[in-house]
Amino acid sequence: MSTLSKPSRRNFVKLAATAGGGLFLGFSWTGSVASALEVVSDKALASGTLDFNSYLALSPDGIVTILSPNPELGQNIKTSFPMIVAEELDADWTKVKVVQAPLDTTKFERQVTGGSGAVPHSWERLRKAGATARQMLVEAAAKRWKVPASSLKTENGMVLNPKNGKKLSYGDLATAAAKLPVPTDVKLKDPKDFKLIGTAVRNVDNHEILTGKPLYGLDFYREGMLFAVIQRPEAFGMKLKSVDAAAAKAMPGIVDVVTFKNNVAVVGKSTWQVNKARKALKISYTPDAALESSADHDRIFKELLDSPEATVRRKDGDVEAAFKSAAKVVKSEYQCPFLSHSPMEPMNFFAHVRPDGVELVGPTQTPEMARGQVAKLLDIAPEKITVELTRLGGGFGRRLSADYVLEAAELSSLIKAPVKVIWTREDDMTGGTYRPAVRYRFEAALDAKGNMIGYKLRGVGMNAGNPTREDNFPSGAVDNLLIDSVDHKSPITTGPWRAPITNFLAFAEQSFLDEVAHAAGKDPVAFRLELLAKAKKEPVGEVKYDIDRMKGVIDLAVEKSGWGRKKDIAQGFSVYFSHRSYVAQVGEVAMQDNQPVVKKIYAAADCGMVINLSGAYQQVRGGIVDGLGHAMYSNLTFKNGAPEQNNFNGYRLIRMKEVPEVDVHFVNNGIDPTGLGEPALPPTGGAVANAIFKATGKRLYDQPFAEQQGLKTV
Amino acid sequence: MATYTLQINGRRYEADVEADTPLLWVLRDHLGLVGTKYGCGIAQCGACTVHMNGNAVRSCVFPVSAIGTAPITTIEGLSEKGDHPVQQAWEEVDVPQCGYCQAGQMMTASALLSKNPNPSEEEIVSAMNGNICRCGTYHRIREAVALAATKTK
Ligand code: FES
Ligand code: FES
């Protein structure tokens, strides 16, 4: 198994057709039907004029090559997509190669990484492509042996005749298979016969990664390329007034200093030189919007929580009446700060704007959107813009925004030269599109028996849009419910951050439900199960989550963690449905030197069928580490519009010492895969905070925990 | 600007750079050795870790003029075929997620193992604690270092 890091359709053809001949199948990623498959010639393929949006090639030497369209940022798609094809094809996995495709919107759909949606989207199509190729190979063998195709079997890149033990390799059959008509109705495997799907397969890029090959955008180099760093306003709400670049321009290696929009770009021969010269810039700024500080945000939040003008997101029954008749009311507020995405590879992009077209190379989660915006900015037809995707050194949603691609393109067009714009860590952390700060107010009304008869949630945020997910549990299980929200327009830019909104909302909801359970005198798990039973029996309004799947992960987490049966350790529970999948978690906290210490987290996940056990396992563990780290430590605060942290010395990310044991389990219910890049993160904060409450009697309302509570993990 | 002669991965390299240029940028921009990564530039994350005289150092804060004749090893030179025990262990445990931090992680781990071939769990964690992995592959890193130790023996 190997991959090419330099993406191109030509490479694909070359790789696939090295020995001449072979079978090339073009298949469709677009539209709702997964069937349109056709045999194509290598010449037609090389010309690049075909309508197919993906390819599967089998060369006479038996190598299977698959063109993978989605940006790879660690979600392991480059491994799991080919696994699906190889499964149905019964290919020899050691002979499967993956080629990263460039952006091509005429051929690919959803060439995006985000929303945990890639596998659910492509599952059928990929299976069908593999199964079709397999059937053609079987038919080619049947013809050669003059036996019925139905009497033959396939295994590990071979067609076998069980009657006489004869074998033919796929490579031997590829060229003959290419002459056969493409079957329109192929049978997919029964998932219980899967041999590759559900096993642990290593990352196909491991060798390149582990030997330091150039894979990432920051590694990209082109002869004659210039380097640039950009000085952006130091505070949100400031705009550029004047620039004195004389001293910077005179420094060694500096080619030019260019001002555009609010940016001052220093262009030169090397990263170090442009960074040094940048320090010699004399820039003055002037405010053109409010210069907000974190204290302002706290005040604004309080105002918005009482604002009469909220957008109603969901309303069931009569909430006011329920609260009037309540035997007990529980009310709490939860707040989180802004967060930086801080992928390990900072933002960067290469652009070369020429009179005849634009070349863009770099790490993006949304190549199509980036191209569209560059086309608009430069007033160039999108067809004249190519986007080459490098591997992404993390994304976490930051690379769903194209701001850094636009800057590179604009700069290249101004200096008329190929240039790579590099963000320093400080630029990356202070440059915006953060996870928005949000505050929630929850209210629950209990009747005399401890049943939750009323539920209110108001979410207020800083450029958070709708900070609620109004149809999430417990909606559907409470007779009287009101969920609304108010947004504050802030000059501080925000954007999706891994598990958008739910990354904090889940903590708040799951902590609050824990509070309500305790107020009702019920076990937190039993309390949730009661609500689920009610949603099942007497659903209130629409129920937009799968009650049985949620119950399934609850049951598994209870079983694996020994919920309620441990004496020497405090446990906290959390369960969440987000981004299509279900995850329940149990946090375990012990007291050490009078301090609560997070010792272990159990996770039970239902993401449908697991494709790659190795990747899936790491997605869950990584998601939990991410969820725990940000709940505990990370905090981006503002003073007069400027972020107060600009690197990992002030902005704390979780480190190895702080990582507890994590025990991951999957519900195996055989349903089609539903995605796993995000869903493990949201439940973690709640599981941990609820365990800390159990251990100390102290509720955590604000993140990050560590800063405010002096808490520790491990 | 001055010309510096450096011993990297058993080879001689020359770089014409300013004296305060950190080794990281000499490697990446001038010598085309981009396996060593930039993560923070202030010795906080470990992405830029290389060996100098066999010790793990943060190349982002190490000026080229201070290197002298000290031999340097980068990820590209950790082994000839990519089969250093640490690299093997990383592959077997399937450590990388996005992979960006892993060169630095492996350079820290290999320096640890060359000094302490049989580290305890605690020694592993304390040696590796300076390296950030934003993807959260810490469990696997810990496991891979322990596995590499068994391969080193
Ligand atoms: S880049 Fe050197 S320690 Fe982060
Ligand atoms: S694998 Fe992505 S930062 Fe470590």
Side-chain angles (χ1 to χ4, degrees), chain A residues 508-530:
Chain A
E509 282 178 358
Q510 291 298 309
S511 299
F512 183 67
L513 286 178
D514 204 69
E515 281 190 84
V516 178
H518 282 282
K522 292 177 181 169
D523 170 76
V525 172
F527 178 66
R528 286 171 173 84
L529 290 173
E530 253 174 45

PDB file of all heavy atoms in Angstrom, chain A residues 508-530:
ATOM      1  N   ALA A 508     -22.590  21.752  28.391  1.00  0.00           N
ATOM      2  CA  ALA A 508     -23.569  22.504  29.169  1.00  0.00           C
ATOM      3  C   ALA A 508     -24.841  21.683  29.375  1.00  0.00           C
ATOM      4  O   ALA A 508     -25.343  21.566  30.493  1.00  0.00           O
ATOM      5  CB  ALA A 508     -23.877  23.828  28.461  1.00  0.00           C
ATOM      6  N   GLU A 509     -25.344  21.098  28.301  1.00  0.00           N
ATOM      7  CA  GLU A 509     -26.578  20.306  28.401  1.00  0.00           C
ATOM      8  C   GLU A 509     -26.415  19.101  29.308  1.00  0.00           C
ATOM      9  O   GLU A 509     -27.270  18.797  30.138  1.00  0.00           O
ATOM     10  CB  GLU A 509     -27.018  19.813  27.012  1.00  0.00           C
ATOM     11  CG  GLU A 509     -27.686  20.895  26.195  1.00  0.00           C
ATOM     12  CD  GLU A 509     -28.081  20.414  24.799  1.00  0.00           C
ATOM     13  OE1 GLU A 509     -27.806  19.241  24.455  1.00  0.00           O
ATOM     14  OE2 GLU A 509     -28.637  21.206  24.052  1.00  0.00           O
ATOM     15  N   GLN A 510     -25.297  18.419  29.123  1.00  0.00           N
ATOM     16  CA  GLN A 510     -25.101  17.190  29.893  1.00  0.00           C
ATOM     17  C   GLN A 510     -24.811  17.493  31.365  1.00  0.00           C
ATOM     18  O   GLN A 510     -25.131  16.697  32.233  1.00  0.00           O
ATOM     19  CB  GLN A 510     -23.987  16.350  29.255  1.00  0.00           C
ATOM     20  CG  GLN A 510     -24.403  15.762  27.910  1.00  0.00           C
ATOM     21  CD  GLN A 510     -25.586  14.816  28.043  1.00  0.00           C
ATOM     22  OE1 GLN A 510     -25.581  13.903  28.871  1.00  0.00           O
ATOM     23  NE2 GLN A 510     -26.628  15.021  27.249  1.00  0.00           N
ATOM     24  N   SER A 511     -24.210  18.626  31.637  1.00  0.00           N
ATOM     25  CA  SER A 511     -24.010  19.019  33.029  1.00  0.00           C
ATOM     26  C   SER A 511     -25.340  19.412  33.647  1.00  0.00           C
ATOM     27  O   SER A 511     -25.652  19.059  34.776  1.00  0.00           O
ATOM     28  CB  SER A 511     -23.057  20.210  33.126  1.00  0.00           C
ATOM     29  OG  SER A 511     -21.804  19.864  32.598  1.00  0.00           O
ATOM     30  N   PHE A 512     -26.116  20.142  32.882  1.00  0.00           N
ATOM     31  CA  PHE A 512     -27.394  20.587  33.424  1.00  0.00           C
ATOM     32  C   PHE A 512     -28.323  19.400  33.700  1.00  0.00           C
ATOM     33  O   PHE A 512     -28.987  19.339  34.737  1.00  0.00           O
ATOM     34  CB  PHE A 512     -28.065  21.597  32.480  1.00  0.00           C
ATOM     35  CG  PHE A 512     -29.345  22.134  33.035  1.00  0.00           C
ATOM     36  CD1 PHE A 512     -29.326  22.939  34.173  1.00  0.00           C
ATOM     37  CD2 PHE A 512     -30.568  21.831  32.458  1.00  0.00           C
ATOM     38  CE1 PHE A 512     -30.513  23.431  34.719  1.00  0.00           C
ATOM     39  CE2 PHE A 512     -31.757  22.312  33.002  1.00  0.00           C
ATOM     40  CZ  PHE A 512     -31.729  23.115  34.128  1.00  0.00           C
ATOM     41  N   LEU A 513     -28.362  18.451  32.769  1.00  0.00           N
ATOM     42  CA  LEU A 513     -29.207  17.274  32.993  1.00  0.00           C
ATOM     43  C   LEU A 513     -28.762  16.528  34.254  1.00  0.00           C
ATOM     44  O   LEU A 513     -29.576  15.974  34.984  1.00  0.00           O
ATOM     45  CB  LEU A 513     -29.175  16.340  31.781  1.00  0.00           C
ATOM     46  CG  LEU A 513     -29.962  16.828  30.562  1.00  0.00           C
ATOM     47  CD1 LEU A 513     -29.814  15.851  29.401  1.00  0.00           C
ATOM     48  CD2 LEU A 513     -31.442  17.014  30.902  1.00  0.00           C
ATOM     49  N   ASP A 514     -27.459  16.541  34.486  1.00  0.00           N
ATOM     50  CA  ASP A 514     -26.925  15.930  35.708  1.00  0.00           C
ATOM     51  C   ASP A 514     -27.450  16.670  36.942  1.00  0.00           C
ATOM     52  O   ASP A 514     -27.880  16.059  37.918  1.00  0.00           O
ATOM     53  CB  ASP A 514     -25.392  16.010  35.660  1.00  0.00           C
ATOM     54  CG  ASP A 514     -24.727  14.953  36.521  1.00  0.00           C
ATOM     55  OD1 ASP A 514     -24.820  13.767  36.164  1.00  0.00           O
ATOM     56  OD2 ASP A 514     -24.121  15.328  37.555  1.00  0.00           O
ATOM     57  N   GLU A 515     -27.430  17.989  36.852  1.00  0.00           N
ATOM     58  CA  GLU A 515     -27.966  18.799  37.956  1.00  0.00           C
ATOM     59  C   GLU A 515     -29.432  18.489  38.212  1.00  0.00           C
ATOM     60  O   GLU A 515     -29.865  18.357  39.359  1.00  0.00           O
ATOM     61  CB  GLU A 515     -27.875  20.292  37.597  1.00  0.00           C
ATOM     62  CG  GLU A 515     -26.516  20.913  37.772  1.00  0.00           C
ATOM     63  CD  GLU A 515     -26.622  22.424  37.623  1.00  0.00           C
ATOM     64  OE1 GLU A 515     -26.951  23.102  38.618  1.00  0.00           O
ATOM     65  OE2 GLU A 515     -26.392  22.923  36.501  1.00  0.00           O
ATOM     66  N   VAL A 516     -30.190  18.396  37.113  1.00  0.00           N
ATOM     67  CA  VAL A 516     -31.622  18.153  37.256  1.00  0.00           C
ATOM     68  C   VAL A 516     -31.853  16.763  37.845  1.00  0.00           C
ATOM     69  O   VAL A 516     -32.699  16.582  38.726  1.00  0.00           O
ATOM     70  CB  VAL A 516     -32.349  18.307  35.897  1.00  0.00           C
ATOM     71  CG1 VAL A 516     -33.834  18.008  36.041  1.00  0.00           C
ATOM     72  CG2 VAL A 516     -32.141  19.709  35.349  1.00  0.00           C
ATOM     73  N   ALA A 517     -31.084  15.794  37.385  1.00  0.00           N
ATOM     74  CA  ALA A 517     -31.220  14.429  37.919  1.00  0.00           C
ATOM     75  C   ALA A 517     -30.970  14.434  39.424  1.00  0.00           C
ATOM     76  O   ALA A 517     -31.731  13.840  40.199  1.00  0.00           O
ATOM     77  CB  ALA A 517     -30.250  13.488  37.211  1.00  0.00           C
ATOM     78  N   HIS A 518     -29.912  15.124  39.848  1.00  0.00           N
ATOM     79  CA  HIS A 518     -29.615  15.182  41.281  1.00  0.00           C
ATOM     80  C   HIS A 518     -30.739  15.884  42.036  1.00  0.00           C
ATOM     81  O   HIS A 518     -31.153  15.435  43.111  1.00  0.00           O
ATOM     82  CB  HIS A 518     -28.269  15.875  41.528  1.00  0.00           C
ATOM     83  CG  HIS A 518     -27.102  14.977  41.258  1.00  0.00           C
ATOM     84  ND1 HIS A 518     -26.689  13.998  42.133  1.00  0.00           N
ATOM     85  CD2 HIS A 518     -26.285  14.875  40.187  1.00  0.00           C
ATOM     86  CE1 HIS A 518     -25.663  13.338  41.620  1.00  0.00           C
ATOM     87  NE2 HIS A 518     -25.391  13.860  40.433  1.00  0.00           N
ATOM     88  N   ALA A 519     -31.268  16.973  41.449  1.00  0.00           N
ATOM     89  CA  ALA A 519     -32.362  17.701  42.103  1.00  0.00           C
ATOM     90  C   ALA A 519     -33.599  16.821  42.219  1.00  0.00           C
ATOM     91  O   ALA A 519     -34.371  16.932  43.172  1.00  0.00           O
ATOM     92  CB  ALA A 519     -32.681  18.970  41.313  1.00  0.00           C
ATOM     93  N   ALA A 520     -33.775  15.928  41.234  1.00  0.00           N
ATOM     94  CA  ALA A 520     -34.944  15.045  41.241  1.00  0.00           C
ATOM     95  C   ALA A 520     -34.686  13.795  42.081  1.00  0.00           C
ATOM     96  O   ALA A 520     -35.562  12.939  42.209  1.00  0.00           O
ATOM     97  CB  ALA A 520     -35.297  14.647  39.813  1.00  0.00           C
ATOM     98  N   GLY A 521     -33.466  13.704  42.593  1.00  0.00           N
ATOM     99  CA  GLY A 521     -33.115  12.544  43.402  1.00  0.00           C
ATOM    100  C   GLY A 521     -33.010  11.265  42.598  1.00  0.00           C
ATOM    101  O   GLY A 521     -33.300  10.175  43.082  1.00  0.00           O
ATOM    102  N   LYS A 522     -32.601  11.397  41.346  1.00  0.00           N
ATOM    103  CA  LYS A 522     -32.521  10.214  40.484  1.00  0.00           C
ATOM    104  C   LYS A 522     -31.088   9.976  40.019  1.00  0.00           C
ATOM    105  O   LYS A 522     -30.300  10.918  39.891  1.00  0.00           O
ATOM    106  CB  LYS A 522     -33.411  10.414  39.252  1.00  0.00           C
ATOM    107  CG  LYS A 522     -34.879  10.443  39.594  1.00  0.00           C
ATOM    108  CD  LYS A 522     -35.730  10.715  38.371  1.00  0.00           C
ATOM    109  CE  LYS A 522     -37.200  10.764  38.776  1.00  0.00           C
ATOM    110  NZ  LYS A 522     -38.063  11.266  37.722  1.00  0.00           N
ATOM    111  N   ASP A 523     -30.787   8.737  39.735  1.00  0.00           N
ATOM    112  CA  ASP A 523     -29.504   8.401  39.133  1.00  0.00           C
ATOM    113  C   ASP A 523     -29.437   9.061  37.751  1.00  0.00           C
ATOM    114  O   ASP A 523     -30.403   8.998  36.985  1.00  0.00           O
ATOM    115  CB  ASP A 523     -29.408   6.879  38.998  1.00  0.00           C
ATOM    116  CG  ASP A 523     -28.207   6.476  38.168  1.00  0.00           C
ATOM    117  OD1 ASP A 523     -27.084   6.539  38.695  1.00  0.00           O
ATOM    118  OD2 ASP A 523     -28.385   6.139  36.968  1.00  0.00           O
ATOM    119  N   PRO A 524     -28.323   9.710  37.411  1.00  0.00           N
ATOM    120  CA  PRO A 524     -28.243  10.445  36.140  1.00  0.00           C
ATOM    121  C   PRO A 524     -28.508   9.575  34.910  1.00  0.00           C
ATOM    122  O   PRO A 524     -29.069  10.057  33.927  1.00  0.00           O
ATOM    123  CB  PRO A 524     -26.813  10.978  36.115  1.00  0.00           C
ATOM    124  CG  PRO A 524     -26.391  11.038  37.547  1.00  0.00           C
ATOM    125  CD  PRO A 524     -27.116   9.922  38.241  1.00  0.00           C
ATOM    126  N   VAL A 525     -28.123   8.329  34.954  1.00  0.00           N
ATOM    127  CA  VAL A 525     -28.387   7.460  33.801  1.00  0.00           C
ATOM    128  C   VAL A 525     -29.869   7.088  33.772  1.00  0.00           C
ATOM    129  O   VAL A 525     -30.527   7.181  32.731  1.00  0.00           O
ATOM    130  CB  VAL A 525     -27.514   6.186  33.841  1.00  0.00           C
ATOM    131  CG1 VAL A 525     -27.935   5.219  32.747  1.00  0.00           C
ATOM    132  CG2 VAL A 525     -26.036   6.567  33.678  1.00  0.00           C
ATOM    133  N   ALA A 526     -30.399   6.703  34.936  1.00  0.00           N
ATOM    134  CA  ALA A 526     -31.819   6.326  35.003  1.00  0.00           C
ATOM    135  C   ALA A 526     -32.689   7.497  34.556  1.00  0.00           C
ATOM    136  O   ALA A 526     -33.689   7.325  33.849  1.00  0.00           O
ATOM    137  CB  ALA A 526     -32.173   5.904  36.426  1.00  0.00           C
ATOM    138  N   PHE A 527     -32.286   8.696  34.947  1.00  0.00           N
ATOM    139  CA  PHE A 527     -33.035   9.902  34.577  1.00  0.00           C
ATOM    140  C   PHE A 527     -33.092  10.063  33.053  1.00  0.00           C
ATOM    141  O   PHE A 527     -34.147  10.327  32.467  1.00  0.00           O
ATOM    142  CB  PHE A 527     -32.372  11.115  35.235  1.00  0.00           C
ATOM    143  CG  PHE A 527     -33.003  12.431  34.892  1.00  0.00           C
ATOM    144  CD1 PHE A 527     -34.297  12.718  35.300  1.00  0.00           C
ATOM    145  CD2 PHE A 527     -32.291  13.388  34.166  1.00  0.00           C
ATOM    146  CE1 PHE A 527     -34.886  13.936  34.982  1.00  0.00           C
ATOM    147  CE2 PHE A 527     -32.872  14.610  33.858  1.00  0.00           C
ATOM    148  CZ  PHE A 527     -34.167  14.896  34.266  1.00  0.00           C
ATOM    149  N   ARG A 528     -31.954   9.880  32.402  1.00  0.00           N
ATOM    150  CA  ARG A 528     -31.916   9.995  30.940  1.00  0.00           C
ATOM    151  C   ARG A 528     -32.751   8.890  30.290  1.00  0.00           C
ATOM    152  O   ARG A 528     -33.461   9.115  29.305  1.00  0.00           O
ATOM    153  CB  ARG A 528     -30.481   9.949  30.443  1.00  0.00           C
ATOM    154  CG  ARG A 528     -29.694  11.226  30.718  1.00  0.00           C
ATOM    155  CD  ARG A 528     -28.223  11.011  30.399  1.00  0.00           C
ATOM    156  NE  ARG A 528     -27.431  12.218  30.486  1.00  0.00           N
ATOM    157  CZ  ARG A 528     -26.912  12.693  31.611  1.00  0.00           C
ATOM    158  NH1 ARG A 528     -27.139  12.091  32.764  1.00  0.00           N
ATOM    159  NH2 ARG A 528     -26.165  13.790  31.588  1.00  0.00           N
ATOM    160  N   LEU A 529     -32.642   7.697  30.828  1.00  0.00           N
ATOM    161  CA  LEU A 529     -33.395   6.579  30.242  1.00  0.00           C
ATOM    162  C   LEU A 529     -34.903   6.797  30.372  1.00  0.00           C
ATOM    163  O   LEU A 529     -35.670   6.484  29.467  1.00  0.00           O
ATOM    164  CB  LEU A 529     -32.978   5.251  30.892  1.00  0.00           C
ATOM    165  CG  LEU A 529     -31.564   4.765  30.530  1.00  0.00           C
ATOM    166  CD1 LEU A 529     -31.180   3.537  31.342  1.00  0.00           C
ATOM    167  CD2 LEU A 529     -31.433   4.482  29.026  1.00  0.00           C
ATOM    168  N   GLU A 530     -35.305   7.380  31.499  1.00  0.00           N
ATOM    169  CA  GLU A 530     -36.718   7.715  31.679  1.00  0.00           C
ATOM    170  C   GLU A 530     -37.182   8.684  30.593  1.00  0.00           C
ATOM    171  O   GLU A 530     -38.250   8.518  30.002  1.00  0.00           O
ATOM    172  CB  GLU A 530     -36.891   8.454  33.014  1.00  0.00           C
ATOM    173  CG  GLU A 530     -37.541   7.659  34.118  1.00  0.00           C
ATOM    174  CD  GLU A 530     -37.518   8.443  35.429  1.00  0.00           C
ATOM    175  OE1 GLU A 530     -37.830   9.663  35.424  1.00  0.00           O
ATOM    176  OE2 GLU A 530     -37.150   7.829  36.454  1.00  0.00           O
TER     177      GLU A 530
END
